[in-house]
């Protein structure tokens, strides 16, 4: 079993899959923010409805930023932070626990399986990647 990394660069396949998870997560988190705002606006916490929307939208944007920064060594770390904050959002909207667990499971699976696929691709290519601008004759 491959080790879960908290910091560092990943291979191209892993990077793409983790970015896709974070992109999908940003959409789900934004809808969760809309639900939190609507529920708070109709209940005794009506004063917090805008705060819930702003904080949830901020988490959705942070998820998009983390997806964009997957090429950087701290991109994986930022992705882990997004996972933890998504799970913490269940304190406001309990259904976000299910959403958070689903995306956390995908995050972990793609970290493990993606690194295996990247290693297999590197072995198949002989350890060196071909330049992208090379023209075959």
């Amino acid at each position: 079993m491959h080790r879960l990394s908290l910091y560092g660069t990943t291979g191209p396949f892993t990077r793409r899959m983790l970015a896709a998870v974070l992109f999908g997560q940003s959409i789900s988190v934004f809808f969760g923010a809309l639900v939190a705002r609507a529920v708070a606006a109709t209940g005794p916490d009506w004063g917090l409805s805008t705060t819930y929307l702003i904080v949830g939208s901020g988490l959705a944007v942070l998820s998009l930023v983390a997806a964009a920064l997957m090429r950087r060594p701290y991109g994986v770390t930022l992705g882990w932070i997004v996972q933890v904050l998504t799970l913490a959002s269940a304190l406001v909207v309990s259904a976000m626990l299910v959403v958070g667990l689903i995306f956390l499971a995908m995050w972990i699976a793609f970290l493990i399986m993606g690194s295996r696929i990247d290693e297999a691709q590197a072995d198949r290519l002989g350890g060196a990647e071909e330049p992208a601008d090379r023209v075959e004759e």
Side-chain angles (χ1 to χ4, degrees), residues 3 55-56 64 76 116:
R3 192 178 63 106
V55 171
L64 291 174
V76 174
R116 289 181 185 165

Side-chain angles (χ1 to χ4, degrees), residues 17 66 68 72 75 79 90 103 123:
M17 296 310 294
R72 307 277 185 226
F103 281 105
D123 290 344

Side-chain angles (χ1 to χ4, degrees), residues 5-10 69-79:
S5 61
L6 299 174
Y7 179 82
T9 57
T10 59
L69 293 176
M70 276 296 116
R71 289 183 180 269
R72 307 277 185 226
Y74 50 84
V76 174
T77 305
L78 195 55

Side-chain angles (χ1 to χ4, degrees), residues 1-5 9-25 70 76 80 83 101-119:
M1 181 172 158
H2 289 266
R3 192 178 63 106
L4 290 178
S5 61
T9 57
T10 59
F13 180 80
T14 305
R15 181 173 52 242
R16 286 185 208 114
M17 296 310 294
L18 294 178
V21 167
L22 289 168
F23 179 77
Q25 190 169 354
M70 276 296 116
V76 174
W80 278 109
Q83 300 308 315
L101 289 174
I102 289 170
F103 281 105
L104 179 64
M106 290 188 334
W107 178 262
I108 291 171
F110 288 142
L111 270 174
I112 294 170
M113 298 300 287
S115 64
R116 289 181 185 165
I117 291 170
D118 284 328
E119 287 176 7

Side-chain angles (χ1 to χ4, degrees), residues 72-95:
R72 307 277 185 226
Y74 50 84
V76 174
T77 305
L78 195 55
W80 278 109
I81 292 170
V82 168
Q83 300 308 315
V84 170
L85 292 176
T86 301
L87 287 172
S89 69
L91 296 172
V92 177
V93 177
S94 58

